[in-house]
Structure formats: structure tokens, C-alpha cells
């Protein structure tokens, strides 16, 4: 496992949010899209402000979020 940031989100309610992101060390990731596409909501999931139905946030070997495994 590299030091990559891996984000996988599938949230159903109250809004639908699905996204996958992988950012390797030294890479720059940018979220772009139209208004209402879920950019801010994805960032809120990453910040821990929204608890998604299913997700996996991992940085290197450290798992930050995996509700299925009881990590949040």
C-alpha cells in the first residue's frame, strides 16, 4: 500500500452522493462540477461532518472511516 489518499463514498439519504477518489503522494486533486453536484458534501464526508451509509477513507495504511467495520 502506498501513501495514497483513497476516498470511496456511497450515501443515499437525505441526498444521493457517490464518489471515488485516489490521490497519490505529490499529486494535486481538484473537485470540479456544477452547482449541486456534491463537491461540498464529499468534502464534509472527508471532514467527518457527514456520516455516510457506506464509505472507506484511507490514507496510506491508516483507515479513517469505514462504517461497515465500525470505524467513524
Amino acid at each position: 500500500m502506498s501513501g495514497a489518499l483513497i476516498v470511496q463514498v456511497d450515501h443515499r439519504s437525505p441526498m444521493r452522493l457517490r464518489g471515488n477518489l485516489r490521490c497519490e503522494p505529490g499529486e494535486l486533486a481538484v473537485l470540479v462540477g456544477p452547482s449541486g453536484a456534491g463537491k461540498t458534501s464529499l468534502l464534509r464526508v472527508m471532514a467527518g461532518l457527514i456520516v455516510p451509509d457506506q464509505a472507506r477513507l484511507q490514507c496510506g495504511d491508516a483507515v479513517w472511516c469505514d462504517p461497515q467495520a465500525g470505524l467513524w
Side-chain angles (χ1 to χ4, degrees):
M1 168 64 60
S2 67
L5 172 65
I6 301 168
V7 179
Q8 300 169 324
V9 177
D10 188 5
H11 189 64
R12 293 182 178 87
S13 176
M15 79 291 193
R16 181 78 171 140
L17 178 65
R18 177 182 278 169
N20 293 301
L21 169 81
R22 182 181 183 103
C23 188
E24 296 292 336
E27 289 184 333
L28 176 66
V30 179
L31 291 175
V32 295
S35 179
K39 300 174 301 289
T40 300
S41 296
L42 184 60
L43 291 173
R44 288 181 179 181
V45 168
M46 292 171 67
L49 301 174
I50 295 176
V51 179
D53 298 322
Q54 295 179 5
R56 182 162 180 96
L57 277 67
Q58 182 173 337
C59 186
D61 292 329
V63 177
W64 294 345
C65 171
D66 187 347
Q68 304 298 77
L71 296 173
W72 185 248

